Amino acid sequence: MEKRKEIFPFGIPGHNLSEIEREIPNDEPPAWPVNDQLKEVGKRVNRIDARAKVTGEAKYTSDMKLSGMLYAKFLRSNIPHGSITSIDTSEAEKVPGVHGIHIITKNKEDGMVGNEYPEIKYVGQPIAGVAAESLSIAKDAVAMIKIEYDPKSFVIDLEEAMLPDAPLVFKEPIQRQEDGGDVGVVHDGSKGQGNLRGPTTSSFYGGPRGDLEKGFAEADVMVENTYRTQVHTHMPLETHGVVIDWKPEEMLVYASTQNTAGVRNELANYFELPKSQVRVICDFMGGGFGAKHSAGSFGPMAAILSKKTKRPVWLMIDRKEEHLAEGNRPSSIQTLKIGAKRDGTLTAIQQKSHGTAGVALGAGVGRIAQILYDCPNFKTEQYDVLTHAGPGAAWRAPGNVQGAFGVEQAIDELAEKLKMDPLALRDKIDKSEVRKVERSRGAELFGWSNRKPAGSASGIIKKGMGVAQSCWPRFVTLNSSIEVRILNDGSVEVRGSVQDIGTGTKTILAQVVAEELGLKTTDITVRIGDTLFPDGPGSGGSVVTQSITPPARNAAYEAKMKLFNQIATKWETEASKLEAVDGFIIHKDDRSKKIPFKEALRGMRTSQISVTASRSNDYGGFQQPWGLAYGDLGSVQFAEVSVNTNTGFVKVDRVVAAHSCGRPLNMSQLESQVNGGVIQGISYALYENRVMDKGTGHFMNANVDQYKVPYSMEIPEIEVIIVEEYGALSSTDAYGIGEPANIATAVAIANAVYNAIGVRIYEIPITPASILKALNKIYE
Amino acid sequence: MIPESFGYSAPSSLIDAYALLEQHGDDAKILAGGHSLIPMMKLRFASPTHLIDINKIPNLSYIKEEDGYLKIGAMTREVDLEESEVIRHKYPIFTDASKLIADPQVRNFGTIGGNIAHGDAANDHPAVMLALGAEVVISSAAGDRTVGIDDFFFGFYTTAVQHGEILTEIRIPSLGPRTGSAYHKLERKVGDYATAGVAVVIGLNEDGSCSKVGIGLTNVNPTPIRAARSEQILLGTTMSESDVAQAAQYAAEDCSPSDDLRGSVEFKKDMIRVITKRMINKAIQRTKL
């Protein structure tokens, strides 16, 4: 590929904006200037599907009603550990309206030794499914299946699971589930013994660094503490589920999924079908935070029931099932030891963690301790502890949210020992230029200078201020393609399998394509979330924006050049002399020569121009060739809280969240995502908590009544600062923001609570009782 | 979350309702706002075979001052209490309580009669009624009878309302001059049932000493409970800081909360102590309004 040189904006406007020359392949579009000089990109453009969503016209998976459709319901285990000795479906089969029942049996590769049913390892494990003419018939039939168990002893508590005589969850080495999304760090389930797996000591940023002993010997000041985080389940508005119509020629799947292409691959593989005969559609998504990458157990169940009954089958799980079985953010118990010199320079960081993802792996605490701060000597040991509880899954910034809760409190504790302001210490040890800007702009808006010494507030209700930082890798899914079609009436269509998880992917694709074609965002029709179209990335790891907007722009650019070539021939000029601006195609040297975009294709030989483009490599290359881009997605969040020292109740009064995501594409959508991340962070810090009953192994609060998430009344004022940061890395230079939005909030609140009451809380959720206990007001 | 099947009638008079109660026997339930009953049916904790919907019966929704009482019709919605001028000015304890009940959707339909007749110690009105010394009018084909609030709650979800009877009115003895009332509950987050709640009514003599006191507690006992020792120690005193602290301490000692996801026994008792003190002081302050 021939290359050319191109000048790109580089750096942070208002701070260090400059230019950089990059050599880029010739087929890449010209560099975009900073957002100020663009018309659609970077603006507060309304969501193109806002009307459909607020009027209820938008059809979600659970809304699908196909002709002859049956409703399916799972039978799930009522015991945490044991084997199934018999299942009798005869009564259930007789229920009028029941069309099919399927019992899950061991896979062929499991050997089918002895018992043919898989061992039960947690309450809520799927056992069988019933398809019936209505959901209530299916439920009644499920209740009539007779099942006998041979129960075995179980363990649901992390620390008890580590005892030598604890009941074993798996006797054999295990593998991390595929298609589960990124779950923190790569775990090897073949190491370890008993219920312990690990340790994981490295990540794609490398392994241990330097010499810990030497580092701690050089330290003037040390902090060592243990931090605990709870199991946090997924609560998207729309639960997991599918509607599947398995026709002879094609398996048609409507899925509430973060990854249409992934679900297609999974189902094709499971049923040994060609990928071309499985079509997965997710037009509107009712929320997903990491656990909706897979076809799960509901996908195969609905498919089998559809095949058996020759009817479409609707299988959306209910809220209780969502809590029990469809993923959670694993717990953690993290011990951190950090050494520093008198001036704040870090000399050593040692991290050891245990966490439980129930019957799954993935309880690592991420990469925050490893890379957020400059430190020559570093070691981590992260263990998974298996328990008889529902499987963990990716959950918005897997690992990093838990990791930040430890690291960012420890850094604050260090600052106090060093008698430094928490921001001043971070200025010293954080090499990130963008976080430096976020700290300074955030501190100013927040009023950080009004912060008082910890515990100095008087009165019953004490106010406090806290800050915390985050980082998240810039992952790029290189297998990301998208098609742009210009039709002969001038309408433009964008098509891809990439789904809009709800963050506004459809809108940013329209913005990028409109910008390139000199049109309005509303001129572009976006048809995505359908595997009929080119494969795009899954909506996980905050990868979508950086993976799919460059190919969208490149496809639009290439289609435009094809159009220009045709017009240039007519006008007896060259394509390079034309530009597309404000709905016209114009001759740059003779601006009177112009044609409305809508008319440009008329009279052409073909009725459309269609271009599919794929993600090209970053202009400056990658940190890791599989798609780890340079830079990170950093944030700094500030929180102000009020703590009632009589009742222990904590109210978050205010959050200022300063974030970066390369070139911002849509300010309103970015703010919306950060708001969501902050709200989930508040919920994680103060409310949500899976409570298991040790006597029965049941999840006690698997509902919306007792599993607390905030109402609007608990939500504080949230102010969002988006820092533009140009890296000249791709044709859009834009990145996602979904996960970074959720990392720093809980620990910023913990630091603010400390500032308010002068006593540190080492465990979330921070409850009124935990505050009173810390204040020695009640003794448990 | 789907109830078992049930029959449904919506009579247009109390006479018809009594007849339906007679006809359907013990398995019939009265449906008022439905915000306690319907969830219990959906969870299949309750499976009445017949619902008698009294929403169409006229003249059961009112707030009026009459014969030395504030009379509230059983079908008065929470939102009506919230918005009533009489209540806001003279009985702010109701305004305090109504605002804390669930969420606006529930308050638009939930009724005060249902809140009390449900016999749930987690509901907010029972404690308020205990503090106010309310009387409950229970009607049947045989006529009306009046039961004092202290004799109303029998046990877990059981009250003085017997089969064939319908709770029709709540009567609050008019509060004299120099009276103040207040209610507050702690909730894990807005809309939750109380972790602990306290209702207080205080009346003052002209010399400022305590002439009247009522203290009711929410969700810290199997049945709604009056903090009797706390009342006794305040009556006749000037309600000094130490009197109030002692009253709060007694309330904490005398309640019997259970350990659950809202908190431990010890935590809830301590919250009763904190809130009792706060509500006594707030009620005293309101005597001056």
Side-chain angles (χ1 to χ4, degrees):
Chain A
M1 174 67 62
E2 279 189 42
K3 294 198 166 188
R4 68 171 196 274
K5 284 178 177 164
E6 187 85 23
I7 306 283
F8 289 85
F10 189 74
I12 301 167
H15 175 65
N16 64 357
L17 183 65
S18 64
E19 290 181 335
I20 190 169
E21 188 180 74
R22 297 257 199 227
E23 209 176 51
I24 60 169
N26 255 345
D27 57 356
E28 289 287 319
W32 268 342
V34 296
N35 277 352
D36 259 2
Q37 296 162 48
L38 297 177
K39 297 195 168 182
E40 297 293 318
V41 161
K43 302 299 178 279
R44 290 185 179 276
V45 175
N46 286 340
R47 284 172 197 266
I48 57 176
D49 50 4
R51 197 194 131 82
K53 284 187 169 183
V54 299
T55 57
E57 284 162 15
K59 288 280 176 284
Y60 295 81
T61 303
S62 54
D63 295 326
M64 290 300 154
K65 285 194 172 52
L66 307 182
S67 171
M69 188 174 83
L70 300 174
Y71 293 82
K73 187 78 193 161
F74 271 117
L75 168 69
R76 292 178 183 271
S77 73
N78 208 21
I79 62 163
H81 188 201
S83 48
I84 297 169
T85 53
S86 75
I87 303 180
D88 176 4
T89 59
S90 55
E91 291 301 312
E93 282 161 19
K94 287 182 207 150
V95 175
V98 169
H99 286 250
I101 297 179
H102 174 69
I103 300 169
I104 297 170
T105 51
K106 278 194 170 185
N107 290 330
K108 285 174 264 166
E109 57 265 31
D110 292 337
M112 301 262 279
V113 188
N115 199 328
E116 67 172 322
Y117 308 113
E119 192 180 53
I120 299 300
K121 292 189 191 294
Y122 64 97
V123 170
Q125 183 173 318
I127 293 170
V130 175
E133 282 165 24
S134 76
L135 190 55
S136 69
I137 295 173
K139 280 184 182 181
D140 286 345
V142 161
M144 293 176 79
I145 298 176
K146 292 193 191 77
I147 181 157
E148 281 173 36
Y149 300 104
D150 177 12
K152 295 176 184 161
S153 58
F154 60 91
V155 62
I156 44 109
D157 180 79
L158 190 158
E159 282 162 301
E160 287 173 12
M162 286 165 37
L163 297 175
D165 57 346
L168 288 182
V169 180
F170 289 93
K171 290 177 189 72
E172 63 283 359
I174 54 170
Q175 292 300 315
R176 183 161 83 75
Q177 311 92 305
E178 284 179 35
D179 299 308
D182 171 58
V183 283
V185 282
V186 178
H187 285 259
D188 183 354
S190 65
K191 283 192 287 182
Q193 52 183 327
N195 288 320
L196 210 61
R197 294 291 184 276
T200 296
T201 55
S202 63
S203 77
F204 45 71
Y205 289 114
R209 299 191 292 263
D211 179 345
L212 269 191
E213 220 169 290
K214 182 167 153 282
F216 285 123
E218 285 167 11
D220 298 318
V221 175
M222 290 257 249
V223 165
E224 185 173 4
N225 273 309
T226 300
Y227 307 86
R228 289 162 186 262
T229 65
Q230 76 277 41
V231 172
H232 184 197
T233 68
H234 281 269
M235 275 193 70
L237 273 180
E238 183 182 46
T239 56
H240 285 67
V242 289
V243 177
I244 296 186
D245 189 5
W246 193 342
K247 296 175 283 193
E249 69 281 8
E250 174 189 74
M251 184 195 288
L252 175 63
V253 181
Y254 294 93
S256 177
T257 183
Q258 298 176 227
N259 192 349
T260 55
V263 168
R264 176 204 57 201
N265 296 348
E266 211 179 314
L267 289 173
N269 185 37
Y270 192 98
F271 293 106
E272 295 173 354
L273 292 170
K275 286 182 190 175
S276 57
Q277 286 174 25
V278 181
R279 179 180 176 191
V280 177
I281 298 173
C282 178
D283 191 5
F284 287 95
M285 173 71 165
F289 304 99
K292 284 187 179 173
H293 284 270
S294 160
S297 49
F298 46 84
M301 177 59 76
I304 289 166
L305 288 171
S306 175
K307 191 174 190 183
K308 266 191 183 176
T309 60
K310 298 189 172 58
R311 299 236 224 163
V313 170
W314 179 102
L315 176 46
M316 300 298 294
I317 66 168
D318 67 22
R319 185 60 60 192
K320 183 176 180 185
E321 297 176 288
E322 183 82 11
H323 277 301
L324 293 178
E326 290 305 334
N328 54 62
R329 175 181 282 156
S331 64
S332 72
I333 301 176
Q334 315 164 41
T335 303
L336 270 171
K337 187 174 170 187
I338 301 184
K341 295 204 163 151
R342 190 69 58 201
D343 67 354
T345 311
L346 300 182
T347 61
I349 299 176
Q350 185 176 15
Q351 180 186 49
K352 191 171 183 179
S353 76
H354 293 88
T356 184
V359 296
L361 295 176
V365 291
R367 302 157 288 253
I368 293 265
Q370 187 178 16
I371 62 153
L372 185 58
Y373 298 113
D374 216 28
C375 181
N377 306 300
F378 168 78
K379 192 182 170 194
T380 182
E381 288 173 75
Q382 301 174 34
Y383 293 90
D384 269 286
V385 183
L386 297 161
T387 51
H388 291 102
W395 208 135
R396 208 167 185 173
N400 278 27
V401 179
Q402 299 97 298
F405 182 73
V407 171
E408 285 295 276
Q409 286 209 75
I411 293 295
D412 259 38
E413 292 173 87
L414 194 60
E416 187 166 32
K417 282 199 171 177
L418 292 165
K419 299 190 169 55
M420 288 175 84
D421 181 274
L423 284 182
L425 175 60
R426 286 172 174 88
D427 280 335
K428 170 87 188 170
I429 60 178
D430 184 2
K431 289 278 177 277
S432 159
E433 198 64 19
V434 71
R435 273 194 299 270
K436 185 174 156 190
V437 175
E438 288 165 0
R439 279 192 299 275
S440 103
R441 291 182 190 174
E444 194 185 331
L445 180 65
F446 183 72
W448 181 257
S449 56
N450 299 322
R451 181 174 179 268
K452 304 206 167 48
S456 65
S458 60
I460 291 166
I461 296 173
K462 297 185 192 296
K463 285 206 170 245
M465 292 181 171
V467 68
Q469 303 202 137
S470 75
C471 62
W472 184 252
R474 289 178 165 184
F475 297 118
V476 176
T477 301
L478 296 173
N479 177 23
S480 295
S481 303
I482 202 144
E483 180 189 4
V484 171
R485 300 206 306 164
I486 302 174
L487 305 176
N488 64 352
D489 61 351
S491 61
V492 178
E493 195 181 39
V494 180
R495 317 206 296 182
S497 84
V498 63
Q499 54 291 312
D500 186 338
I501 193 177
T503 51
T505 305
K506 286 176 180 168
T507 307
I508 58 170
L509 285 170
Q511 284 177 272
V512 163
V513 170
E515 185 75 44
E516 187 59 40
L517 299 179
L519 300 172
K520 294 278 175 213
T521 299
T522 46
D523 294 334
I524 312 297
T525 300
V526 180
R527 295 184 197 284
I528 59 170
D530 189 338
T531 58
L532 212 53
F533 305 134
D535 279 12
S539 302
S542 302
V543 307
V544 169
T545 302
Q546 59 266 39
S547 302
I548 204 70
T549 63
R553 186 185 170 206
N554 293 18
Y557 171 71
E558 202 181 313
K560 180 178 81 174
M561 294 317 288
K562 286 188 173 182
L563 179 59
F564 282 4
N565 277 330
Q566 299 194 30
I567 292 167
T569 311
K570 268 187 166 176
W571 287 358
E572 295 176 347
T573 179
E574 288 174 9
S576 62
K577 298 279 183 196
L578 305 183
E579 62 178 357
V581 189
D582 295 337
F584 286 92
I585 293 166
I586 300 173
H587 195 301
K588 284 194 239 179
D589 297 341
D590 174 8
R591 300 194 77 83
S592 68
K593 248 191 164 165
K594 61 179 188 180
I595 176 170
F597 191 90
K598 287 189 186 317
E599 291 174 19
L601 230 70
R602 281 198 195 144
M604 300 291 172
R605 201 154 63 88
T606 59
S607 58
Q608 62 173 32
I609 293 172
S610 164
V611 174
T612 296
S614 303
R615 181 62 158 88
S616 40
N617 284 345
D618 270 14
Y619 297 156
F622 290 114
Q623 289 191 63
Q624 295 283 349
W626 46 261
L628 181 64
Y630 285 102
D632 77 38
L633 300 169
S635 89
V636 181
Q637 294 191 354
F638 298 80
E640 186 175 337
V641 301
S642 297
V643 183
N644 184 318
T645 54
N646 276 350
T647 63
F649 276 66
V650 175
K651 173 96 177 74
V652 181
D653 297 320
R654 206 176 152 225
V655 170
V656 168
H659 284 259
S660 65
C661 54
R663 176 197 297 276
L665 294 180
N666 186 322
M667 286 298 180
S668 306
Q669 293 188 165
L670 288 167
E671 286 169 2
S672 174
Q673 274 199 79
V674 175
N675 286 342
V678 167
I679 291 166
Q680 286 185 325
I682 291 169
S683 196
Y684 184 54
L686 301 180
Y687 304 111
E688 293 185 57
N689 191 13
R690 182 185 76 181
V691 182
M692 300 292 284
D693 179 48
K694 281 194 192 179
T696 61
H698 278 250
F699 180 164
M700 304 272 284
N701 52 341
N703 51 44
V704 192
D705 174 36
Q706 294 298 320
Y707 188 89
K708 292 294 177 192
V709 292
Y711 279 176
S712 52
M713 296 292 279
E714 279 85 21
I715 305 307
E717 182 185 1
I718 302 168
E719 291 162 278
V720 181
I721 297 170
I722 302 289
V723 176
E724 272 178 74
E725 182 203 17
Y726 298 93
L729 295 174
S730 74
S731 63
T732 62
D733 211 11
Y735 293 83
I737 206 166
E739 285 164 301
N742 188 227
I743 300 172
T745 315
V747 62
I749 290 168
N751 283 337
V753 166
Y754 172 74
N755 182 242
I757 63 174
V759 187
R760 192 162 283 283
I761 311 288
Y762 290 96
E763 183 169 5
I764 45 173
I766 299 172
T767 63
S770 71
I771 295 273
L772 295 180
K773 201 173 159 194
L775 292 170
N776 286 324
K777 290 205 169 183
I778 53 172
Y779 304 90
E780 279 176 307
Chain B
M1 292 299 280
I2 299 172
E4 283 185 34
S5 60
F6 57 89
Y8 172 87
S9 318
S12 52
S13 73
L14 280 170
I15 302 295
D16 290 349
Y18 303 143
L20 283 161
L21 275 171
E22 189 64 31
Q23 183 192 332
H24 291 283
D26 276 353
D27 289 331
K29 284 289 276 181
I30 297 290
L31 177 68
H35 281 75
S36 298
L37 181 58
I38 302 290
M40 290 186 84
M41 288 169 64
K42 290 175 95 175
L43 292 166
R44 302 203 176 186
F45 291 152
S47 300
T49 54
H50 200 89
L51 289 186
I52 301 165
D53 181 349
I54 57 171
N55 282 276
K56 296 216 167 104
I57 300 176
N59 306 321
L60 285 177
S61 173
Y62 50 83
I63 299 167
K64 60 188 177 194
E65 292 182 290
E66 198 176 82
D67 311 328
Y69 286 101
L70 172 75
K71 296 181 176 177
I72 305 174
M75 290 301 289
T76 305
R77 315 276 172 193
E78 298 294 348
V79 66
D80 299 326
L81 294 171
E82 223 176 324
E83 290 175 357
S84 155
E85 282 301 310
V86 175
I87 295 240
R88 198 176 306 160
H89 285 117
K90 296 193 183 169
Y91 303 86
I93 190 169
F94 279 115
T95 318
D96 291 347
S98 292
K99 278 186 182 155
L100 291 171
I101 292 172
D103 48 53
Q105 287 99 319
V106 170
R107 300 202 290 267
N108 284 341
F109 217 68
T111 65
I112 186 165
N115 192 293
I116 293 167
H118 190 50
D120 186 349
N123 280 351
D124 298 285
H125 281 304
V128 172
M129 296 303 162
L130 284 164
L132 288 164
E135 292 167 12
V136 182
V137 179
I138 301 170
S139 310
S140 69
D144 294 349
R145 64 189 181 102
T146 303
V147 176
I149 193 71
D150 289 282
D151 300 320
F152 184 77
F153 300 106
F154 283 11
F156 202 54
Y157 295 129
T158 53
T159 68
V161 180
Q162 299 299 304
H163 185 67
E165 294 184 324
I166 298 173
L167 190 164
T168 50
E169 186 181 86
I170 293 117
R171 293 181 181 167
I172 315 290
S174 290
L175 295 179
R178 297 182 302 277
T179 313
S181 64
Y183 180 75
H184 187 62
K185 71 171 172 187
L186 288 177
E187 43 189 355
R188 287 172 294 180
K189 48 161 240 177
V190 171
D192 196 13
Y193 285 105
T195 300
V198 181
V200 174
V201 174
I202 298 276
L204 300 184
N205 292 311
E206 275 184 40
D207 66 359
S209 61
C210 178
S211 66
K212 172 186 177 145
V213 54
I215 302 177
L217 310 180
T218 301
N219 213 11
V220 285
N221 205 60
T223 53
I225 181 179
R226 176 185 294 284
R229 271 208 300 167
S230 310
E231 293 175 354
Q232 280 155 22
I233 196 168
L234 289 177
L235 199 63
T237 70
T238 57
M239 295 182 288
S240 67
E241 200 174 312
S242 66
D243 294 334
V244 172
Q246 187 59 54
Q249 184 58 36
Y250 280 156
E253 286 172 13
D254 295 350
C255 65
S256 311
S258 51
D259 246 327
D260 60 20
L261 296 174
R262 292 186 174 81
S264 65
V265 168
E266 196 183 14
F267 172 66
K268 289 180 179 182
K269 279 179 169 269
D270 198 51
M271 290 306 98
I272 285 293
R273 185 185 60 76
V274 169
I275 305 300
T276 302
K277 191 171 150 189
R278 213 204 280 177
M279 288 307 102
I280 293 172
N281 288 327
K282 192 166 182 181
I284 293 172
Q285 249 177 17
R286 283 181 173 169
T287 60
K288 292 159 192 150
L289 294 178

